[in-house]
Amino acid sequence: MNNTNNTNKKLFTGFETVTKEKWMERVTVDLKGADFNKKLVWKNLSKINIQPLYNTEDAKEYLKNTGENSQTLVNYRSIYVSSEKRGNALALDAIKEGHNGILFIVKGNMAPARLLKDIDLNKITVSFTIKKNAATFVQNFIAHVKSSKVKANNLKGFVDTQLISKYVTKGEFAKKAFSEAAEVFSLVEKYPNYKALTISGSEYLDSGANQVQEIAYTLNSLVYVIEKLSEKGVNTQDIFDNLNFKFAIGLEYFVEIGKFRAFNNLLKEIATKYEIKEFKHTILAKTSIWSKSITDAHTNLLRATTEAMSAILGNVDGVLVDAYDNEFNDASDFSSRIAGNITTILKEESYFGKVANPVDGSYYIEEVSLAIAEKALELFKTIEAEGGFYTAFEKEIIQEQVAEIRLQKLKLISQRRLPMVGINKYPNLMEKVSSELLSNGNTNKNSKLLKPRRASLEIEAMRKKTEELVEQTKVRPIVELTSFGNLNMRKARAAFAYDFVGVSGYNVQQEKSHESAEQAAESSAKSDSHVVVICSSDQDYDEKALSFIQAFRAISKDKILLLAGNPTGDLMKELTDAGLDGCVNLRSDVLVTITSIQNKIQKILNPLAV
């Protein structure tokens, strides 16, 4: 037996290296003439073309200054402070549950000493979002820090006076906003790891913007704030040393990783323009409002997990995971605990916070980071050429650009080309939701303002209409999937219809198979269902659909009759003339189709309300 040590032998030397050119040749054959770009290239809404394959041939000069994976990642919990005693109790509970960061949202006049009782500021990161009288609160906070004998380098966290957040959502800066911000700088100057200024970009993504826009507008707003604070006598070096940024985290996992890396790179570029060589900023990444759902709300846990993962891999300093029921309830102890555990598990058990920059060198992520940085820089320059952040926002240039992307996203969601589990795909048909929890749709009528919102508002409004009907009539409309003919196709189309119509909140029953079209027509026409969906193959439709509809309408004049498929030309006209109400297929718009069904059912079940 040969016991020679072969540990240094190169693996896979017997396999020929596959170049990208060879791979493309093989794929071209497999596509059988289909367009490569349409079939395999993903066109992100940031207008980045993402290829199906990356290898060493794609290696470019990678971005520099993309940040460092935080070994001291802050796992935040946000606490709305109604009183010092209650806020303190919630904070101490959060610390016991494993959080090492607390973000207090302070509205009224609060005493920091009582709010922070028994919290070790040498170990726990404490930050504040302050609605008013920020300078007074911070002054009292620093007095408490001094009396608690906290070491200057140990005090970590940030102050958020909502400088940019208020402007983009309210339309104006608070009186003396920049004077107060400048005063906060002087109050925390002896604490190098405590950030006096927070610039928020989360409102853009949560209003429907893409990643490129979120980065560019945040940097534009930074330039504007630097200008205003400089007028108040704040040194530019001090501004950069006191920067904290707040971003929302979207659903596009790898693109979000690239977003944070690209932002760090561009921030360094801008600092260089101000002749700032060294500075230390922080980034807080918060799970987005845009991606969350009221229906099948537990899926929010899955979204929050992937969002937190991408933020950590993108080199943020802190993560704030909202409770899964945050959009429709005051977070419970359970939902808050689970939210905090997401980051804890990623950091401690998945080692996300213990490996240095694990995504560096990934061809895909490096390519995406570079593309985002290039496009964000281009947009940044465009806004600056328009007069800068304030001028562009006053002219509604930024709002119009965000609205354009938002409408594209909503169209994709309505067409189910942008799948969201529990919203437009894979609905939980066992779930009953009160109409009071559901949205009336988009209520932001002021084009000048950004309004963070869920992507699902329009679909929620549709579902609300169903639940209101059920509450008024005590009847949940029944949908029957009736099938005949080709076994494979009828099963596939019944499954599609079950998923599609289920978004409505109706009682969609399991498929009922029949031996013949005639039997299916008679049985479904006489059943207690309100909606019937015909499920079969194209060939069966050509041969039997017309006779099915005629037989069905001879028995039932009022029931809604749909067909799962896409008949074309003369056949579709014949079926419609015979009494078919519509079709459901891959090209169907879920909002348009189900709203039409709802209007017809409303006339049947509750005609007085029409």
Side-chain angles (χ1 to χ4, degrees):
M1 180 181 291
N2 185 0
N3 292 320
T4 305
N5 188 341
N6 289 321
T7 56
N8 295 321
K9 184 178 179 181
K10 291 185 177 181
L11 299 177
F12 308 117
T13 53
F15 294 91
E16 181 183 355
T17 301
V18 179
T19 64
K20 197 162 188 178
E21 182 181 3
K22 289 182 179 179
W23 185 86
M24 286 293 294
E25 289 175 358
R26 179 62 190 175
V27 169
T28 302
V29 172
D30 291 344
L31 285 173
K32 298 178 181 177
D35 188 291
F36 175 85
N37 288 327
K38 288 183 178 180
K39 286 288 184 181
L40 296 179
V41 177
W42 173 35
K43 294 176 177 61
N44 167 269
L45 284 175
S46 290
K47 298 181 180 179
I48 297 170
N49 292 338
I50 297 175
Q51 301 297 322
L53 170 73
Y54 291 95
N55 65 7
T56 53
E57 296 174 42
D58 296 292
K60 299 180 180 179
E61 184 176 345
Y62 298 151
L63 287 180
K64 299 177 181 178
N65 304 307
T66 56
E68 296 291 331
N69 189 242
S70 178
Q71 304 299 300
T72 56
L73 181 74
V74 182
N75 181 8
Y76 275 103
R77 175 174 292 176
S78 62
I79 294 175
Y80 291 85
V81 182
S82 56
S83 69
E84 294 103 333
K85 185 176 180 180
R86 176 62 177 163
N88 177 255
L90 291 173
L92 291 174
D93 287 344
I95 293 168
K96 288 178 183 177
E97 292 170 6
H99 287 268
N100 60 347
I102 305 295
L103 173 58
F104 291 104
I105 292 88
V106 182
K107 290 186 178 180
N109 294 322
M110 298 287 171
R114 289 197 289 269
L115 184 61
L116 300 172
K117 183 182 178 183
D118 297 327
I119 296 177
D120 187 351
L121 299 182
N122 284 297
K123 297 179 180 179
I124 302 299
T125 300
V126 175
S127 301
F128 302 95
T129 297
I130 307 172
K131 303 288 185 178
K132 62 180 181 179
N133 300 328
T136 301
F137 182 90
V138 174
Q139 184 177 29
N140 292 333
F141 167 63
I142 294 301
H144 170 70
V145 169
K146 291 178 179 177
S147 66
S148 301
K149 298 181 180 180
V150 179
K151 293 182 179 179
N153 286 333
N154 287 348
L155 184 67
K156 296 178 181 179
F158 61 83
V159 173
D160 181 7
T161 60
Q162 297 190 306
L163 199 62
I164 296 300
S165 301
K166 284 181 180 177
Y167 174 62
V168 298
T169 58
K170 305 291 185 184
E172 59 184 9
F173 286 103
K175 190 177 181 180
K176 298 182 179 179
F178 290 100
S179 297
E180 189 171 53
E183 189 175 348
V184 172
F185 272 82
S186 64
L187 290 170
V188 303
E189 63 180 351
K190 294 182 180 179
Y191 300 91
N193 294 317
Y194 206 83
K195 307 303 179 183
L197 176 64
T198 295
I199 303 290
S200 179
S202 63
E203 289 76 19
Y204 307 116
L205 194 76
D206 279 335
S207 297
N210 60 33
Q211 294 88 354
V212 165
Q213 290 173 326
E214 186 181 16
I215 292 175
Y217 303 150
T218 301
L219 292 173
N220 288 126
S221 65
L222 170 62
V223 171
Y224 175 71
V225 170
I226 291 173
E227 176 187 329
K228 301 302 288 185
L229 288 177
S230 296
E231 293 173 2
K232 301 297 180 182
V234 182
N235 181 275
T236 305
Q237 180 70 58
D238 290 339
I239 295 174
F240 275 91
D241 284 335
N242 276 277
L243 282 175
N244 173 68
F245 295 92
K246 183 177 78 172
F247 287 107
I249 321 167
L251 286 174
E252 295 171 294
Y253 182 73
F254 292 108
V255 180
E256 287 293 320
I257 296 172
K259 176 184 81 176
F260 292 109
R261 300 175 81 250
F263 176 79
N264 280 322
N265 170 267
L266 292 179
L267 180 62
K268 181 68 175 179
E269 292 293 318
I270 288 177
T272 302
K273 298 297 181 182
Y274 286 97
E275 298 182 352
I276 304 296
K277 296 181 179 180
E278 297 292 334
F279 66 99
K280 176 58 179 173
H281 67 287
T282 57
I283 296 177
L284 169 66
K286 177 185 174 297
T287 52
S288 64
I289 296 172
W290 176 264
S291 65
K292 300 307 176 289
S293 168
I294 286 180
T295 55
D296 203 4
H298 287 91
T299 58
N300 291 334
L301 289 168
L302 303 177
R303 298 184 185 105
T305 300
T306 59
E307 288 173 10
M309 288 169 66
S310 58
I312 296 170
L313 293 175
N315 302 329
V316 304
D317 300 277
V319 174
L320 173 58
V321 177
D322 279 333
Y324 74 86
D325 56 353
N326 189 60
E327 284 300 302
F328 58 92
N329 271 332
D330 291 333
S332 65
D333 291 342
F334 172 77
S335 60
S336 295
R337 179 73 178 267
I338 292 297
N341 285 351
I342 288 173
T343 304
T344 299
I345 290 171
L346 291 175
K347 178 184 175 183
E348 303 296 339
E349 297 187 22
S350 300
Y351 284 77
F352 274 46
K354 299 182 180 181
V355 180
N357 293 23
V359 301
D360 283 8
S362 163
Y363 307 131
Y364 176 18
I365 293 175
E366 293 286 1
E367 175 75 16
V368 168
S369 302
L370 179 61
I372 291 174
E374 290 174 344
K375 290 186 176 295
L377 181 59
E378 180 182 349
L379 179 57
F380 168 82
K381 290 179 178 178
T382 300
I383 297 299
E384 289 301 307
E386 292 286 347
F389 172 74
Y390 183 78
T391 301
F393 202 86
E394 289 297 312
K395 290 181 178 178
E396 300 186 25
I397 294 171
I398 290 174
Q399 297 92 315
E400 288 172 3
Q401 291 176 350
V402 171
E404 180 183 353
I405 298 299
R406 177 174 63 248
L407 290 174
Q408 290 180 32
K409 288 183 177 181
L410 294 177
K411 183 178 180 180
L412 292 173
I413 290 169
S414 184
Q415 294 173 339
R416 306 207 317 161
R417 290 163 58 195
L418 184 59
M420 298 186 74
V421 176
I423 300 173
N424 64 354
K425 285 220 173 185
Y426 315 115
N428 181 359
L429 300 186
M430 304 297 291
E431 182 182 43
K432 302 295 183 288
V433 182
S434 170
S435 63
E436 295 179 357
L437 293 179
L438 297 166
S439 167
N440 289 314
N442 182 20
T443 58
N444 183 21
K445 306 301 181 184
N446 190 342
S447 63
K448 181 176 173 58
L449 304 179
L450 297 180
K451 186 175 181 180
R453 49 157 290 175
R454 297 185 297 278
S456 60
L457 291 187
E458 287 76 11
I459 291 180
E460 282 179 26
M462 178 185 69
R463 177 66 182 268
K464 185 183 183 76
K465 189 173 181 180
T466 294
E467 299 306 327
E468 287 176 339
L469 178 66
V470 173
E471 290 164 6
Q472 292 164 7
T473 64
K474 308 304 179 186
V475 176
R476 187 171 295 276
I478 298 171
V479 180
E480 180 178 343
L481 309 176
T482 187
S483 67
F484 62 90
N486 183 283
L487 179 63
N488 290 335
M489 285 306 301
R490 78 191 195 195
K491 291 289 183 186
R493 281 181 165 157
F496 175 85
Y498 185 89
D499 185 47
F500 186 99
V501 183
V503 175
S504 65
Y506 292 164
N507 178 10
V508 185
Q509 299 181 339
Q510 293 295 327
E511 172 198 5
K512 293 182 179 178
S513 298
H514 299 277
E515 294 294 329
S516 66
E518 294 77 11
Q519 185 187 80
E522 181 179 357
S523 175
S524 59
K526 292 179 178 179
S527 72
D528 60 354
S529 62
H530 303 91
V531 180
V532 173
V533 185
I534 310 168
C535 305
S536 194
S537 66
D538 289 345
Q539 182 179 347
D540 286 309
Y541 290 155
D542 290 339
E543 297 172 357
K544 299 290 180 66
L546 183 59
S547 61
F548 178 106
I549 295 170
Q550 291 169 340
F552 182 93
R553 286 304 181 200
I555 301 170
S556 175
K557 303 293 184 183
D558 296 329
K559 279 189 181 183
I560 298 168
L561 184 60
L562 305 173
L563 181 144
N566 189 29
T568 57
D570 294 339
L571 177 59
M572 186 61 201
K573 184 178 184 307
E574 289 176 1
L575 299 181
T576 303
D577 291 343
L580 183 68
D581 291 301
C583 297
V584 292
N585 53 59
L586 288 172
R587 296 184 179 181
S588 298
D589 185 299
V590 72
L591 275 175
V592 172
T593 303
I594 292 180
T595 299
S596 175
I597 295 171
Q598 287 178 320
N599 292 337
K600 293 173 183 176
I601 285 185
Q602 185 83 25
K603 293 177 182 178
I604 297 170
L605 293 182
N606 196 18
L608 296 178
V610 177

